[in-house]
Amino acid sequence: MTFATEHKITAAKAPILERQIRRRLTDDPTRPSEALDVVFRHVPEIPGLADLFDTITDCFLWPYLSFGCRTWPEGAEVPVSKIHTLLEAISSQRLDLDHRQRNTVNRPMIHKGCGLIL
Amino acid sequence: MIQVDVFKLVIQRPRSPHFEKGLVNILRRSKVDKAVKLFALDCLFDDISIIVSNSLQHEALSTLDLFRQYSLMMREAASEGSPRDSPWLHALFQFTTTDGMHTDIQRGIFLFDHLQANKTLGDAGRSLLLGEFVRYMKRVLVDRLFTRTMKEESIFAELSFFNPYIWSDPNENGQRSRPAPRQDNGNQFRDRVQVHLQRIVILDTLYGISPKDRPSAWTKVQR
């Protein structure tokens, strides 16, 4: 029950945050580092950071790590340490989510005369 | 979400000794976004000899299968008639079309550096006519595919476990015995056939590229 409610809140918050980040980048594309700070501010309260990953990839990863690039550019506006922190945060949230999903027991429903319905 | 793992591996410094194995695992087991997949495959095949040198027979076979996928995707990217309409190419090459006629290439990206090194980008800076941009992008991709396929071919041709006429184990005196046909079991035979077919498909992909898109250096090699 709690998990379901949390999930609904996450689902509602994620697009708002996504819009906020995108707007920040559109308004001032020269300061992606500040947009990333917005993401970091919401990491503890939004467990569905993974849902934002497409936006994060578009805004923070592809511009610096496109085809043929192998290292994070030294002069990039977003320092590589921030990117490491971001990717770690997403990974740990994903692991946490996987763990919670594994621990969610689906009670099998029995339908009269038809046996087991999954 | 698997994309996170790809980017984490690529930007990690110092590079993990399990970098190649990690990428292979991700690419073999997960469904990855198209742009990220080509990005990851391109990183993986920076030096194919590293991946193959310490591999077991089945791992080498799996690497070859990934190389086949890589060559198909490179050809697809190079053959894309209208890259500005392909979101995955936009993401991968980070270009923007300004007025429908010109393409802006971002400073610091691979294509920009490549064109600047070859003095293709003139005083006008980083803006190119769309047609020019498409031509250069094709050239870069086809060149890269050609070089890498040739390298892959020579490495796989020398791999003893797929060639029954190369016997690499030393004899009792520590000397290498003469090359002689090896006794195969069923699995080895099947693997050899598979490798042979994969190599044909990879070469076919390369030579399937339209002659007008081939670099002039390549045409000279073929003569």
Side-chain angles (χ1 to χ4, degrees):
Chain A
M1 182 70 178
T2 315
F3 177 72
T5 314
E6 273 179 19
H7 185 73
K8 278 181 188 166
I9 294 170
T10 303
K13 271 193 173 179
I16 297 170
L17 182 55
E18 183 173 346
R19 273 200 299 276
Q20 204 175 340
I21 295 167
R22 281 206 183 270
R23 197 171 51 233
R24 225 163 223 278
L25 282 168
T26 323
D27 290 348
D28 191 358
T30 58
R31 290 153 80 183
S33 190
E34 284 179 15
L36 197 54
D37 288 336
V38 176
V39 177
F40 284 133
R41 272 205 299 279
H42 291 272
V43 167
E45 66 184 90
I46 304 247
L49 188 62
D51 295 340
L52 287 173
F53 192 66
D54 284 347
T55 313
I56 289 168
T57 315
D58 289 349
C59 298
F60 304 117
L61 297 175
W62 279 131
Y64 304 105
L65 219 57
S66 55
F67 183 87
C69 297
R70 297 293 179 263
T71 51
W72 196 258
E74 281 183 13
E77 295 89 350
V78 181
V80 71
S81 56
K82 271 192 178 180
I83 295 299
H84 278 299
T85 314
L86 176 70
L87 296 179
E88 281 305 326
I90 296 172
S91 286
S92 56
Q93 281 196 353
R94 186 183 54 178
L95 286 176
D96 186 43
L97 195 69
D98 288 349
H99 181 71
R100 288 166 71 174
Q101 278 170 346
R102 265 201 306 276
N103 287 346
T104 310
V105 180
N106 289 327
R107 230 174 32 183
M109 289 163 57
I110 309 291
H111 189 272
K112 279 179 190 171
C114 294
L116 196 66
I117 301 175
L118 295 175
Chain B
M1 271 307 296
I2 278 308
Q3 281 91 302
V4 180
D5 298 330
V6 172
F7 286 117
K8 264 172 77 178
L9 272 174
V10 173
I11 64 171
Q12 193 179 25
R13 289 292 179 280
R15 190 160 268 184
S16 157
H18 307 295
F19 171 75
E20 285 84 10
K21 204 163 250 184
L23 270 187
V24 168
N25 279 341
I26 294 170
L27 291 164
R28 295 295 307 166
R29 292 179 189 163
S30 326
K31 192 168 163 42
V32 186
D33 169 85
K34 205 169 172 183
V36 178
K37 185 169 183 175
L38 185 52
F39 173 74
L41 284 169
D42 191 66
C43 287
L44 183 66
F45 294 118
D46 277 344
D47 190 350
I48 193 170
S49 61
I50 295 177
I51 322 167
V52 176
S53 60
N54 296 319
S55 300
L56 300 170
Q57 187 166 325
H58 71 275
E59 289 170 342
L61 197 58
S62 158
T63 303
L64 192 61
D65 183 47
L66 284 175
F67 194 90
R68 179 187 56 79
Q69 293 179 36
Y70 172 63
S71 62
L72 285 170
M73 289 187 82
M74 286 288 273
R75 190 175 80 168
E76 187 187 339
S79 313
E80 185 60 71
S82 178
R84 65 177 175 166
D85 300 328
S86 300
W88 75 286
L89 287 181
H90 265 285
L92 197 57
F93 290 98
Q94 289 293 299
F95 60 89
T96 45
T97 39
T98 42
D99 51 4
M101 294 281 287
H102 288 85
T103 306
D104 267 358
I105 313 172
Q106 287 191 30
R107 204 172 282 277
I109 72 157
F110 169 77
L111 210 54
F112 180 89
D113 292 345
H114 192 275
L115 295 178
Q116 206 174 41
N118 293 333
K119 304 204 185 311
T120 309
L121 284 178
D123 298 333
R126 53 196 192 146
S127 186
L128 285 171
L129 279 170
L130 188 61
E132 264 185 324
F133 169 75
V134 172
R135 206 169 59 246
Y136 289 131
M137 194 177 86
K138 274 184 186 175
R139 178 65 55 89
V140 168
L141 290 172
V142 172
D143 245 343
R144 200 171 178 88
L145 181 60
F146 178 73
T147 317
R148 291 183 171 198
T149 305
M150 291 301 117
K151 177 94 174 156
E152 170 274 320
E153 256 301 290
S154 70
I155 285 169
F156 271 85
E158 287 168 12
L159 272 186
S160 62
F161 43 60
F162 294 126
N163 189 336
Y165 291 95
I166 301 176
W167 189 254
S168 60
D169 295 338
N171 62 20
E172 288 170 358
N173 303 323
Q175 295 165 328
R176 293 195 184 278
S177 55
R178 275 186 179 179
R182 214 186 305 168
Q183 293 296 313
D184 271 355
N185 63 31
N187 283 345
Q188 281 172 335
F189 178 75
R190 196 192 54 210
D191 285 353
R192 282 200 293 113
V193 171
Q194 216 172 325
V195 164
H196 190 63
L197 292 175
Q198 296 267 34
R199 284 168 62 192
I200 290 174
V201 173
I202 290 166
L203 285 175
D204 186 58
T205 304
L206 180 70
Y207 289 106
I209 291 169
S210 160
K212 69 179 170 56
D213 294 331
R214 296 174 188 172
S216 51
W218 181 3
T219 321
K220 279 177 199 159
V221 170
Q222 279 190 303
R223 275 180 199 154

